Each structure stands twice: as C-alpha cells, then as structure tokens.
Amino acid sequence: MLSLYNSLTKKVEDFKPAHPLQVGMYSCGPTVYQFAHIGNMRAYNTSDLLVRTLRYNGYDVKFVMNITDVGHMTQDQLGGGDTGEDKMEKTARLEGKTVWEVAQFYTDVFRKDYDALNFSKPSRLCKATDHIKEQVDLIRLLEEKGFTYTTSDGVYFDTAKYPEYGKLSSLDQIKEGARVEMNEERKNPRDFALWKFSYKDGRAFNAALDDREAKRQMEWKSPWGKGFPGWHIECSAMSMKYLGKSFDIHTGGVDNKEIHHPNEIAQSEAVTRKPLAKYWIHTAFMMISGEKISKSLGNGYTLYDLEQQNYDVLALRYLYLQTHYRQEMNFTFVALDAAQNAFKKLVLEISRWEEAALDSGPVPADVVKDYEDRFLDAINEDLNMSKALAVMWELVKSDLPSGAKSRILFKMDRVLGLDLENLSAQIRNAQQIIPGNILHMVEERQHLRKEKHFNAADKIRAEVEKLGYVIEDIKKGIKVRKK
Ligand code: AMP
Ligand code: ZN
C-alpha cells in the first residue's frame, strides 16, 4: 500500500483516496514571469513521481496544474500580504513587452522544459487569467458569508472570522514576515488580498508603484471595481472547478506551506465547509552553496544553462531521484557529473543487452516477483526513489537473462521516467549503421574463413578494428558494432 507524508497531519499515512480507483491531484504551478530554475523543477519532479507512482499502483489520476499569469506580488512569499508589484507587470515593464507576451513566452519555455524532463502531462494545465469569473464568484461567496472586508486598495480575507486558519503553517513565521511590509488598513497581518483595485478615487492607481497614473495592463471588472485577483484565490477556484470541492492530493514546494496553502485552505473551506484536499505533499528546497535557489536571488540554473554545458536533461532527473523529496538537496556540478555518468552507464549497459536477449532462458517467476515487489515497496514508501534506484541497479547488474531484465526494468521505468527503452534503442541503432566499406571487409573475412585462410581473415578483422568497428562471433553468426 502507498504511504505518504501528509503535511497537514505531520504523519506518514496510508493513502486512501475518496474513490477507490480514482485520484484527484492538484499541483501549484509556475508563475510565468521568468525562466523556471532547477529548484522549481524539483517541485514538479515530485508531483510527477507521485502521479507515476499512483498510476503504477493502478489508480486513474486526474492531475491539474495551474499557470500563475497574474496577481503574484513580489512580497507574497514573505507574508507581506500582497504588497509589492505584480511580478508579471514588473517583468513586462523591465523587458519592454506586454504582460501577455511575457506570460506566453515564459509559459512556452516552461512547457518545453517540463516535457524535456519527462514529467507527466497534466490532465489540465489551467491559466489564472482564463478563470477570472470563477475567482470573482468565489470571492462573492466569501463576501456573502461574511469572510471579507474592503480597504482602499482591495478586498481582503478576514482571518479573524476563520478560527481554523493556519492549520498547515507555523503562524509565528507569518507574523514575522508580515513585519517586512504591512498594509496599514489590514486588520490582521495574516489577512490576505482576494481582489486588488487598479483604480482609486476614479483614477488609475498602481499601489505597488505608489503611482496615481501607472495603469496596470491586466485588469478586469468586478463587483468591487476594476482590478485583478490576489494570487491565492486562483488555486482555490481552479482546483475546485476541475476536481470538486474536496479532492485527494495537493502538492507544492515547502514555502507554499506557510502562506499560500493556508490561504487556499481558508478561502475554500470557509465556503464549502469541506477539506479542500486530504493529503498535502511538500517538496523541500533545492539549495546552492547553502542558499535556497530562488528566482529573486537569481542564483538558479535553468535547463538551458545545463544544456549549454553539455549536460543531458535527464541526468538532472536522475539527480533528483537520488534525494528524497522531503530532504533539502544541495546542487553541485560534482553531483550532477556523477548523476550524468551513472545515467549514461545505465543506458549504455542496456543498449548492449539485445544479443544476449536471444538466448534468454526461462526465469523463475519468484525471482521476477522479488525485484518487482521490492521496487514497489520502495516507491510506495513515501516515494523512496533512492531505494527504488538501488533495486533497479541490483537488477541491472544481476546475471538474469537480459530479455527478462529489460522487461522488468522497462516496467520500473514507468515510474523512474528515464526513457530507458527509447534511449538504449537509439544507441543500438546508431551502432548498427555500419558503413558499406566495413560491411564489404566483413564479407571478405567471412569468405576467407570459409576457405580456412585464418591469418588473412584475422588481418581484415584488425583492419576493421582500426577503422573503429568490432566483429564479434556469436552463436548465430557474426555481429558488427561500433567500438
Ligand atoms: P514559483 O514559480 O516561484 O511560483 O514557484 C514554483 C514552485 O517551485 C513552487 O511550488 C515553489 O514552492 C517551488 N520552489 C521555488 N523555489 C524552489 C527551490 N529552491 N527548491 C524547490 N522548490 C522550489
Ligand atoms: Zn497554488
């Protein structure tokens, strides 16, 4: 049985979805104002492993992820409560583009990186700006139930009206962060914006820039005035739209546990009176030289940076697999080199299995089962991927016939996602393209051997080797491959 650490109960629990066969899962996606870095990608790696593990266990998974393309303010993460400038508008200002162009550009790059890392395609990838109506509707319900108040710059959630607030987080941290910058009209440092106004006293007003004529590019009509939604409300509106009022799993990076997720819970559960999600899964940070990788610090490598240095993107995926998702992980190039070497060695090893597969005899069912069981136990142990990798290597190094090994291995790769079948076949195919002159020499050698001119045949073999190819005598004749 799958067990998962649930941040809500702070315990490892057996996974029991509401429906016995179907799972609804929501992952907080990227804010598309910059390139995603390898730290961000680590959080999506966990969501992907979870989706793959659930599917491996036979569940039908509906996996929803959002794209934040509006309303995420520069101070949000500090608990400054929706102050600072909208990150999207800020990039547009700095890059001289429209906000829509910024959103499109970084969304496209994100999707490309996401695919390159072999992450599971979400059943639905939804943008905040496509769901303004749903967000307004939810705020309206909160207003009707008395959970909101309005200040000069927006509509806020009144946490004092919701005593259960902050189940996930440590409240002290929110108060601490809130000291950084505080909107004086807010009643409580923990209150957060549901809707922010872009006009004040009838004039364009960008509160972040404290400028009366700085007009926002993204703004919508609402019952409270023209403006834009706060960051948190999008995830409540979209997750409930696609997965229902209560669903099974919600994931995100560990920073979401302090502010974003408590806010999502409050604004959803205040309306529905049902738990938004049963299991909350958080990925620990990826660090670099002891510091959190973060977009604002600008210390994060992107996939593009790694590719420029000739790293294989899937070597990064292999690196992620080596550290448990709840453990902080320090990124170094030494570790990435080691991951790349191990990954290459693995693919090369598998690419050599083909011939031996021909003589793979029967394999006792209990031997196969033993590998499969131990692999399943590892992934089901709160996604213990390093343990799963160890079982995989044990299989690779075993003396089982390679036909059986590849069958078991490719099944494991449904979770590991290292594209092993495809990559090993590519290597094999590349090695099989033997130039005509080499084939000619090989034929000549065969002929000489038949005529028992072994010395002359050996000379040709040596020639062929000098040209970079190996002739192997195998049961069914000969095989030629690149050295
Ligand atoms: P953002 O695009 O900034 O909204 O972040 C997207 C996701 O990446 C969120 O789930 C964050 O919690 C997560 N995240 C941000 N930085 C890191 C990091 N250094 N390591 C792991 N996850 C991170
Ligand atoms: Zn979210």
Side-chain angles (χ1 to χ4, degrees):
M1 163 166 292
L2 172 62
S3 59
L4 293 171
Y5 179 83
N6 187 353
S7 304
L8 200 59
T9 56
K10 300 181 178 54
K11 278 196 295 238
V12 176
E13 292 176 32
D14 286 344
F15 177 67
K16 292 194 186 115
H19 184 286
L21 296 173
Q22 283 163 10
V23 175
M25 172 168 150
Y26 184 88
S27 295
C28 287
T31 309
V32 283
Y33 70 104
Q34 245 184 45
F35 296 107
H37 54 63
I38 55 177
N40 298 128
M41 286 313 199
R42 185 183 187 210
Y44 309 124
N45 183 64
T46 305
S47 308
D48 172 59
L49 290 175
L50 187 47
V51 168
R52 286 170 177 272
T53 297
L54 289 162
R55 290 188 173 142
Y56 195 87
N57 277 278
Y59 292 110
D60 177 15
V61 185
K62 185 166 181 192
F63 169 38
V64 178
M65 185 187 273
N66 69 305
I67 298 273
T68 299
D69 53 358
V70 65
H72 192 166
M73 314 303 274
T74 48
Q75 295 287 321
D76 278 345
Q77 304 286 30
L78 299 170
D82 325 290
T83 50
E85 190 172 5
D86 181 319
K87 292 179 176 180
M88 302 289 308
E89 298 259 343
K90 185 173 173 189
T91 301
R93 188 165 53 76
L94 297 177
E95 293 188 0
K97 291 183 182 164
T98 69
V99 184
W100 301 98
E101 285 166 349
V102 167
Q104 191 61 52
F105 176 77
Y106 289 108
T107 301
D108 290 347
V109 179
F110 173 75
R111 293 177 79 145
K112 198 170 129 278
D113 288 356
Y114 188 93
D115 291 345
L117 277 162
N118 232 350
F119 291 160
S120 308
K121 195 171 157 51
S123 323
R124 209 170 259 280
L125 186 66
C126 40
K127 292 181 189 172
T129 52
D130 287 339
H131 297 80
I132 300 297
K133 182 184 175 303
E134 288 81 352
Q135 297 176 68
V136 167
D137 288 348
L138 187 55
I139 301 169
R140 215 191 250 142
L141 283 175
L142 285 165
E143 188 178 41
E144 273 167 30
K145 290 180 185 286
F147 287 103
T148 66
Y149 63 90
T150 302
T151 70
S152 62
D153 76 343
V155 180
Y156 283 80
F157 183 91
D158 192 348
T159 50
K161 298 267 174 62
Y162 188 73
E164 300 97 315
Y165 182 83
K167 278 186 279 191
L168 263 177
S169 67
S170 109
L171 295 180
D172 285 356
Q173 242 172 306
I174 291 184
K175 279 184 190 156
E176 184 98 3
R179 275 183 222 126
V180 176
E181 196 175 337
M182 169 80 183
N183 169 355
E184 279 137 33
E185 291 177 75
R186 273 196 303 170
K187 294 191 205 163
N188 189 311
R190 294 186 266 151
D191 297 350
F192 54 92
L194 298 164
W195 189 261
K196 295 207 78 174
F197 303 141
S198 41
Y199 291 83
K200 207 170 175 179
D201 313 325
R203 286 154 69 195
F205 173 69
N206 190 333
L209 298 176
D210 203 12
D211 182 345
R212 277 301 168 111
E213 295 311 325
K215 195 172 174 308
R216 288 179 53 85
Q217 293 183 41
M218 278 183 178
E219 55 179 15
W220 294 265
K221 283 187 190 146
S222 82
W224 312 280
K226 250 192 196 167
F228 59 101
W231 167 36
H232 317 288
I233 195 77
E234 68 178 81
C235 286
S236 293
M238 294 191 281
S239 63
M240 291 198 286
K241 171 168 180 173
Y242 296 115
L243 297 170
K245 288 177 182 159
S246 212
F247 50 91
D248 300 299
I249 305 176
H250 196 310
T251 73
V254 73
D255 48 345
N256 289 334
K257 207 168 79 172
E258 298 303 332
I259 297 161
H260 181 53
H261 288 168
N263 292 356
E264 272 189 49
I265 290 176
Q267 68 202 354
S268 312
E269 299 184 9
V271 168
T272 66
R273 287 282 144 203
K274 287 184 174 159
L276 178 63
K278 187 169 173 193
Y279 302 91
W280 291 79
I281 311 293
H282 292 104
T283 303
F285 283 143
M286 190 177 220
M287 318 287 283
I288 207 157
S289 316
E291 262 191 317
K292 178 200 162 191
I293 302 182
S294 93
K295 288 181 185 168
S296 50
L297 292 175
N299 60 355
Y301 293 99
T302 62
L303 256 54
Y304 176 80
D305 296 331
L306 300 187
E307 280 169 317
Q308 286 299 300
Q309 297 189 43
N310 289 324
Y311 287 103
D312 194 319
V313 172
L314 289 179
L316 177 66
R317 187 174 169 106
Y318 189 98
L319 182 74
Y320 288 143
L321 290 173
Q322 292 175 311
T323 308
H324 190 261
Y325 75 92
R326 279 196 287 125
Q327 251 181 309
E328 261 181 18
M329 177 177 183
N330 198 42
F331 175 81
T332 63
F333 279 102
V334 173
L336 185 60
D337 283 337
Q340 170 126 318
N341 287 339
F343 176 56
K344 279 196 169 155
K345 198 173 128 198
L346 176 64
V347 176
L348 201 63
E349 175 79 29
I350 303 164
S351 73
R352 292 191 178 135
W353 282 354
E354 189 193 42
E355 287 306 328
L358 291 174
D359 55 7
S360 74
V363 179
D366 59 336
V367 176
V368 175
K369 191 173 176 318
D370 176 60
Y371 281 111
E372 294 191 341
D373 284 355
R374 283 191 293 135
F375 182 81
L376 183 64
D377 286 348
I379 60 173
N380 277 356
E381 191 185 291
D382 194 23
L383 311 181
N384 192 338
M385 292 300 154
S386 58
K387 203 168 174 183
L389 272 185
V391 178
M392 183 214 68
W393 272 110
E394 199 185 312
L395 170 76
V396 169
K397 290 184 177 159
S398 75
D399 50 17
L400 281 185
S402 50
K405 280 206 280 200
S406 44
R407 268 193 308 280
I408 308 169
L409 182 71
F410 296 152
K411 190 172 166 196
M412 290 175 174
D413 200 34
R414 278 165 32 198
V415 176
L416 302 174
L418 294 169
D419 205 15
L420 296 175
E421 187 164 7
N422 182 30
L423 292 177
S424 56
Q426 274 177 23
I427 294 187
R428 225 171 4 240
N429 290 339
Q431 284 175 345
Q432 273 163 6
I433 303 167
I434 311 293
N437 63 326
I438 302 286
L439 290 177
H440 191 74
M441 289 165 83
V442 172
E443 270 170 30
E444 176 69 15
R445 175 181 172 266
Q446 286 294 81
H447 177 71
L448 289 168
R449 277 169 64 92
K450 251 192 212 151
E451 302 288 314
K452 305 212 183 307
H453 299 311
F454 293 114
N455 279 347
D458 284 351
K459 267 191 194 153
I460 293 191
R461 182 193 203 129
E463 282 287 297
V464 166
E465 279 208 21
K466 260 196 218 154
L467 294 169
Y469 294 84
V470 185
I471 303 176
E472 287 171 336
D473 296 299
I474 59 167
K475 269 189 193 169
K476 294 191 169 184
I478 54 151
K479 187 188 169 200
V480 190
R481 62 170 173 85
K482 247 188 189 157
K483 262 209 268 193

